[in-house]
């Protein structure tokens, strides 16, 4: 029987990749490749203003430089293209059409939503302001403002078992409320696009950062409504700077443009493998040489803090 295991890289090219992005790609690649599965590369460039083409090109070049190749995607093609989300909007439109009985236009501005939410630091729960507008009210408001489109969510737990973190559940009505599928500027939301694409591309295993764990119930609800089979999910710990901060392109954390001038691919992969618990030391190693004894059990659940001095991280 053909091996149907399919994983993916789904980077957003809004800048050069940092070590957290690299670790995610390395682990997704190892997880699938060491079991003979296939890797798909999909460029998540929905927000084209934030994702100039030069970053997508650099990202692909960086992955290949690190020894992380893909079986389907830009440059290679394949039966599930196009592999740029910015070219797949007809599919997202079609999904919205399927969901039209569960969606409604929302005219709230960001400012209004901010002032209605409690200052608890978490993402605000949408209070349902526009949930019960009549068609006449919505038509009237559409004359002066373009609405976003929200999905009605149920007041019940959505459960799944994460391959790394174990059982997880969330009641969407309490955790986020009705969520946006298309923004008022017309851009499709990540939650919708990622579900449509992972399903259309036959992805069976999603490996991604633990910051997306709480997005998974929203995505599972979309799979349910669209009648699609979800993949299995494995969320991985985040990479933190020596001072405990999350890495970000904006904070000037070392990104591939700088890393490539200072280190070889094997040095970077060796450091990442050690950080993720795959090897006891940070000796340089090629990505392909990690396949033989790759084992998810070695990867911890807690976030991974870089040690000062490693790959240019200075003590702060
Ligand atoms: N495009 C997202 C990112 O780069 C990842 C989405 C996903 O893996 O589901 O953060």
């Amino acid at each position: 029987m053909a091996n149907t295991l399919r994983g993916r890289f789904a980077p957003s090219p809004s800048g050069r990749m940092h070590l957290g992005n690299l670790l995610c790609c390395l682990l997704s690649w190892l997880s699938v490749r060491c079991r003979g599965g296939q890797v798909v590369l999909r460029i998540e460039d929905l927000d084209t203003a934030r994702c100039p083409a030069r970053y997508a090109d650099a990202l692909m070049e960086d992955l290949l430089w690190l020894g992380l190749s893909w079986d389907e995607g830009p440059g290679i093609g394949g039966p599930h293209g196009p592999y740029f989300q910015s070219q797949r909007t007809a599919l997202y439109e079609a999904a919205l059409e399927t969901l039209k009985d569960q969606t409604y236009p929302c005219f709230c501005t960001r400012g209004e939503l901010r002032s209605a939410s409690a200052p608890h630091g978490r993402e605000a729960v949408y209070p349902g302001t526009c949930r019960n507008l009549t068609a006449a009210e919505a038509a009237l408001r559409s004359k002066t403002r373009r609405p976003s489109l929200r999905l009605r969510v149920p007041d019940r737990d959505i459960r799944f078992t994460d391959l790394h973190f174990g059982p997880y559940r969330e009641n969407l009505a309490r955790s986020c409320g009705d969520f946006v599928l298309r923004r008022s500027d017309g851009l499709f939301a990540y939650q919708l696009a990622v579900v449509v694409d992972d399903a259309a591309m036959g992805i069976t295993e999603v490996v991604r950062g633990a910051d997306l764990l709480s997005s998974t119930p929203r995505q599972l609800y979309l799979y349910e409504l669209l009648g699609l089979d979800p993949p299995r999910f494995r969320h991985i710990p985040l990479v933190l700077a020596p001072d405990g901060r999350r890495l970000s392109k904006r904070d000037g954390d070392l990104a591939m443009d700088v890393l490539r001038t200072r280190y070889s691919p094997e040095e970077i992969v060796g450091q990442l493998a050690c950080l993720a618990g795959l090897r006891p030391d940070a000796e340089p190693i090629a990505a392909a040489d990690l396949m033989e004894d790759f084992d998810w059990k070695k990867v911890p659940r807690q976030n991974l803090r870089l040690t000062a001095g490693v790959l240019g991280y200075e003590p702060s």
Side-chain angles (χ1 to χ4, degrees):
M1 202 177 90
N3 189 334
T4 52
L5 176 66
R6 283 165 69 81
R8 43 68 152 186
F9 303 142
S12 303
S14 57
R16 292 294 286 261
M17 290 190 287
H18 57 56
L19 289 173
N21 308 131
L22 298 185
L23 182 68
C24 185
C25 291
L26 176 65
L27 293 178
S28 330
W29 186 88
L30 284 169
S31 180
V32 171
R33 277 286 157 87
C34 76
R35 289 175 287 159
Q38 294 195 312
V39 179
V40 177
L41 170 63
R42 178 174 71 238
I43 305 290
E44 302 218 321
D45 61 345
L46 277 177
D47 193 344
T48 44
R50 287 185 56 230
C51 298
R54 68 176 188 282
Y55 285 138
D57 291 342
L59 187 150
M60 291 187 262
E61 227 270 291
D62 289 341
L63 288 172
L64 294 174
W65 182 80
L66 283 165
L68 305 178
S69 55
W70 52 95
D71 304 288
E72 262 183 52
I76 298 182
H80 306 92
Y83 293 92
F84 286 79
Q85 286 193 322
S86 57
Q87 296 167 21
R88 299 176 63 83
T89 50
L91 292 165
Y92 314 141
E93 266 320 334
L96 276 189
E97 182 57 27
T98 310
L99 297 170
K100 70 172 184 298
D101 292 343
Q102 280 96 4
T103 59
Y104 62 88
C106 168
F107 298 88
C108 299
T109 62
R110 277 190 192 191
E112 283 161 1
L113 292 176
R114 222 174 295 125
S115 57
S117 72
H120 46 38
R122 287 197 61 205
E123 209 178 304
V125 178
Y126 177 65
T129 320
C130 297
R131 196 179 226 241
N132 297 315
L133 290 182
T134 63
E137 281 167 334
L140 188 66
R141 289 191 166 206
S142 298
K143 288 187 181 149
T144 50
R145 189 179 291 171
R146 247 190 104 169
S148 61
L149 210 57
R150 285 184 187 269
L151 181 73
R152 288 173 205 279
V153 299
D155 187 5
R156 64 168 158 89
D157 279 349
I158 297 198
R159 297 163 189 267
F160 77 104
T161 300
D162 185 77
L163 293 171
H164 206 63
F165 286 95
Y168 188 84
R169 72 188 155 124
E170 210 170 284
N171 178 320
L172 296 179
R174 288 179 213 161
S175 62
C176 62
D178 299 342
F179 61 94
V180 172
L181 296 184
R182 196 183 59 209
R183 294 178 3 183
S184 59
D185 60 7
L187 283 190
F188 290 97
Y190 153 72
Q191 307 290 358
L192 178 74
V194 77
V195 166
V196 169
D197 288 345
D198 280 336
M201 294 178 178
I203 303 302
T204 60
E205 178 182 285
V206 166
V207 173
R208 61 187 180 192
D211 51 335
L212 290 169
L213 187 60
S214 66
S215 281
T216 308
R218 270 173 277 180
Q219 294 170 17
L220 286 170
Y221 185 53
L222 283 168
Y223 277 102
E224 188 183 313
L225 292 179
L226 292 166
L228 300 169
D229 283 337
R232 304 199 69 192
F233 292 93
R234 184 185 289 275
H235 291 85
I236 60 166
L238 302 176
V239 180
L240 305 180
D243 60 2
R245 210 176 25 82
R246 272 186 55 188
L247 299 190
S248 106
K249 294 164 192 157
R250 254 169 287 149
D251 286 338
D253 278 312
L254 296 191
M256 276 306 268
D257 44 354
V258 180
L259 289 169
R260 282 182 65 161
T261 63
R262 298 188 188 168
Y263 306 100
S264 68
E266 293 78 13
E267 282 170 323
I268 296 176
V269 169
Q271 291 288 356
L272 286 173
C274 175
L275 184 69
L278 298 179
R279 302 192 84 211
D281 57 56
E283 285 304 300
I285 186 167
D289 292 336
L290 289 170
M291 272 195 315
E292 197 175 316
D293 36 57
F294 176 72
D295 184 351
W296 274 116
K297 287 199 204 77
K298 295 182 191 164
V299 180
R301 288 186 180 174
Q302 68 273 26
N303 287 336
L304 308 168
R305 198 185 279 221
L306 285 162
T307 312
V310 165
L311 291 174
Y313 276 85
E314 304 304 340
S316 51

